[in-house]
Amino acid sequence: MKKVFSKLIPSYITFKLSLLVSVLVIVAFTLLEVYKFLNAKSQITQQINTEQYAQAQFIATDIQNKIDKQTLFISGLADVITPKIIQSETLLLKTLQNSLKLTNIFPQGVAVFSPSGVGVIAEHPVITGRSTFSFAQSQWFIKAKASEDVVTHTPHISGINGKLLMPMAKAIRDDEGNVLGVLAAPIYLNSPGFMDYIFDKDHRQQGDILVVSRDDSIIVASSDPAILLKSILSLEEHVFYDTVMKGFNGYNQFTSSNDKMLKAAADINNPNWFVVIRTPVKTAFERLNNDFYSAIVNGILVSLVALLTITFTLFLFFIPLRKAAKSVKLMIENPRDLTHIKIYKNDEIGELISGFNLLIDMVNERNTNLKKANAVLESLSQTDGLTGIANRRHFDETLNHTWRVQMRSQQPLTLLLIDIDYFKKYNDAYGHIAGDDCLKKVTKAIKTSINRSTDFFARYGGEEFVILLQGDIKEGIAIAEKVRLIVSELKIEHKDSSFEYLTISLGVASIVPQVDGDPVELVKKADQALYQSKANGRNRYEVVAH
């Protein structure tokens, strides 16, 4: 047995070296897989968080718009119901019916209750039990009678029909301010067209949606009926909700091993609610975890077999391979085209080296092609050839990138669009060579006004330039006036200009980027401002702010 073993492993040192290399490769492979796993997990978390926050904002805006429309409808209808109308049940009922024909935002109908809270003066459509139910002690009814505005109250389960609803009401008053009745409409939160998609547990495959009332600290909408109308403190991730309750909007950027949910929140201003999107961590990373463990196990097995085989083979053919490796090292150390490696033996190693030489030929050919490709790509440089500053293509890329950055931070983005006045006449009078020289001088002068690393200056095309600022309209106006004065102070002669020297016109526009916005609209606004500047006499700036 010992003899067989000694034949398989002729050298104890070689065996130790083989074992050491195998262990090192396995450890390196494992560390690499761990790094890839953590990096992928971070990217997936960021992607999920971004999608969650965008969806939370969309849902919050959707709910806010619907409630705003309903509030306006109730307010308008209450103003239409005069003391004369409310005194006639027939006239009042007709008014309610005609108003509901104009909209579908209250499919559950409206009712006008008596000032005492017992009895309905008129309702459409009729809801069984509503006319005999007493609302005198209901908080929403008391609030409506005490307020001049439309009021809403905490969602609850109706005592009449057992549905989840939020009451919306406004008192109807006479000229002296006396309450003649209370106009009210129940908003069924899970009714079609309102928030029914939240209550549908099959709507989201990887998580759920919550709507939480800040004033009452309860869950007013959820796809899980078990937590509906429960306190937010009953949830395990209540620390996140404590932060959101104080006004935070966004997502939990840092997750720990104890976190069971990835969450994002967005506000609804009226009523004082917020939307939470939740995704279970286990669900989000289940496939990634399985892939990670499979990769580790398979990688270790493959690495062991391959490394032991290669190490044993290298031992048998150590000398010719060492010579070949030395030749490769010399090629790497000398900065020149790769050359063929000398074939020391006409066996399998020689064939391997011969194949390697073929690869060298292919690499050399590809390097040549790469140089040609680089020469072509040079023509697509992001630098303007005449002025030496960024060109239009670079500007478009920077605008799109900066738009996304400012959108996430909800900070303003300001654009200055600059045009040299009467530049065509300048070229006609002094020649295109002088025109090119003029563009260089103007570029050099404007660059002195760009001080911050975040400010971006580019040639937009022809005699037009742009300055992109990560700042508000005030900063844009200050830079615009500074640039205008600097160019004017060059005193470049222009006999065909009404100012007798070269001037510029500027259009300044500012906007806070939104998710559904388009960077092109900022350019259009700046162009509109530039047009106004030219129309108003040139050598000036005009402003269009969003």
Side-chain angles (χ1 to χ4, degrees), residues 48-169:
I48 292 176
N49 281 333
T50 301
E51 292 175 353
Q52 285 180 321
Y53 185 48
Q55 186 178 9
Q57 287 180 309
F58 175 83
I59 293 174
T61 301
D62 178 64
I63 295 173
Q64 182 70 74
N65 290 339
K66 290 173 181 175
I67 292 178
D68 287 344
K69 289 179 181 179
Q70 292 167 326
T71 301
L72 288 174
F73 178 83
I74 291 294
S75 179
L77 181 55
D79 292 340
V80 169
I81 301 174
T82 63
K84 179 180 178 181
I85 293 176
I86 203 171
Q87 291 172 1
S88 170
E89 180 180 348
T90 301
L91 190 57
L92 178 57
L93 179 59
K94 185 176 181 181
T95 300
L96 297 181
Q97 292 173 337
N98 290 339
S99 297
L100 290 175
K101 287 180 181 178
L102 303 176
T103 180
N104 61 352
I105 62 175
F106 277 113
Q108 61 274 23
V110 296
V112 178
F113 297 93
S114 66
S116 66
V118 180
V120 175
I121 301 175
E123 62 176 328
H124 181 75
V126 174
I127 295 180
T128 304
R130 181 160 60 180
S131 61
T132 59
F133 195 89
S134 176
F135 296 97
Q137 301 303 318
S138 298
Q139 290 299 312
W140 66 267
F141 190 86
I142 296 172
K143 285 172 59 178
K145 291 178 64 176
S147 174
E148 297 287 338
D149 301 317
V150 176
V151 300
T152 57
H153 195 57
T154 306
H156 59 274
I157 301 299
S158 171
I160 298 175
N161 54 21
K163 292 185 177 181
L164 176 65
L165 61 81
M166 179 182 71
M168 178 175 288

Side-chain angles (χ1 to χ4, degrees), residues 383-395:
T383 302
D384 179 60
L386 176 64
T387 61
I389 62 174
N391 59 13
R392 171 67 177 275
R393 179 188 179 201
H394 194 181
F395 165 72

Side-chain angles (χ1 to χ4, degrees), residues 438-452:
C438 172
L439 289 173
K440 294 177 182 178
K441 291 179 179 178
V442 170
T443 300
K444 184 177 181 181
I446 294 177
K447 283 179 68 176
T448 62
S449 303
I450 311 301
N451 300 319
R452 300 182 305 184

Side-chain angles (χ1 to χ4, degrees), residues 214-501:
R214 274 200 180 90
D215 296 335
D216 305 287
S217 299
I218 63 172
I219 301 167
V220 299
S222 170
S223 55
D224 182 2
I227 63 174
L228 191 61
L229 299 183
K230 301 291 184 181
S231 171
I232 199 71
L233 298 178
S234 64
L235 301 179
E236 293 183 6
E237 61 269 29
H238 62 82
V239 175
F240 174 75
Y241 297 106
D242 290 343
T243 305
V244 179
M245 292 285 281
K246 297 176 183 178
F248 172 79
N249 271 220
Y251 50 80
N252 53 335
Q253 299 182 22
F254 305 100
T255 58
S256 66
S257 58
N258 296 325
D259 288 331
K260 296 183 179 180
M261 292 282 186
L262 297 175
K263 301 168 290 293
D267 273 346
I268 303 172
N269 295 324
N270 182 29
N272 190 15
W273 295 352
F274 60 86
V275 176
V276 176
I277 306 295
R278 306 192 305 173
T279 302
V281 171
K282 182 179 180 180
T283 302
F285 301 125
E286 182 177 7
R287 181 174 179 181
L288 182 63
N289 291 334
N290 293 336
D291 291 345
F292 171 71
Y293 294 131
S294 297
I296 290 295
V297 173
N298 294 335
I300 291 175
L301 293 176
V302 172
S303 298
L304 281 173
V305 174
L307 285 171
L308 290 174
T309 302
I310 292 173
T311 303
F312 186 73
T313 303
L314 288 177
F315 173 79
L316 298 177
F317 301 99
F318 184 80
I319 294 176
L321 283 178
R322 185 177 63 183
K323 292 180 179 180
K326 184 176 181 180
S327 299
V328 172
K329 182 179 179 181
L330 291 175
M331 284 192 296
I332 295 174
E333 292 175 349
N334 295 310
R336 64 174 188 269
D337 289 342
L338 301 179
T339 57
H340 284 187
I341 298 174
K342 183 179 179 181
I343 299 176
Y344 297 96
K345 296 179 71 176
N346 293 322
D347 55 10
E348 290 82 0
I349 299 299
E351 293 178 0
L352 177 64
I353 295 175
S354 177
F356 191 81
N357 288 337
L358 292 176
L359 291 177
I360 289 175
D361 292 337
M362 293 173 62
V363 171
N364 286 335
E365 182 181 357
R366 290 186 180 182
N367 285 340
T368 301
N369 293 335
L370 182 61
K371 291 178 181 178
K372 294 179 181 179
N374 286 336
V376 174
L377 290 176
E378 189 67 24
S379 64
L380 300 176
S381 171
Q382 294 182 328
T383 302
D384 179 60
L386 176 64
T387 61
I389 62 174
N391 59 13
R392 171 67 177 275
R393 179 188 179 201
H394 194 181
F395 165 72
D396 291 339
E397 295 173 351
T398 301
L399 175 60
N400 288 327
H401 172 74
T402 309
W403 179 276
R404 292 191 295 271
V405 171
Q406 297 300 91
M407 179 181 65
R408 287 193 294 269
S409 62
Q410 282 298 285
Q411 296 298 316
L413 185 62
T414 301
L415 179 66
L416 282 67
L417 188 55
I418 306 168
D419 184 75
I420 299 177
D421 296 329
Y422 306 111
F423 188 72
K424 183 178 184 305
K425 292 182 179 181
Y426 186 94
N427 275 336
D428 293 340
Y430 300 96
H432 288 280
I433 294 178
D436 290 347
D437 186 55
C438 172
L439 289 173
K440 294 177 182 178
K441 291 179 179 178
V442 170
T443 300
K444 184 177 181 181
I446 294 177
K447 283 179 68 176
T448 62
S449 303
I450 311 301
N451 300 319
R452 300 182 305 184
S453 60
T454 56
D455 296 342
F456 182 81
F457 177 40
R459 185 180 180 191
Y460 194 67
E463 68 274 23
E464 289 187 322
F465 300 86
V466 288
I467 299 177
L468 186 63
L469 306 174
Q470 294 184 30
D472 57 18
I473 194 67
K474 292 182 180 179
E475 295 177 55
I477 291 173
I479 295 295
E481 181 59 14
K482 184 177 181 181
V483 168
R484 187 190 69 80
L485 291 175
I486 284 177
V487 174
S488 296
E489 289 170 0
L490 292 176
K491 297 297 182 183
I492 299 174
E493 179 186 353
H494 191 348
K495 63 183 180 180
D496 290 331
S497 171
S498 57
F499 303 99
E500 297 183 353
Y501 56 86

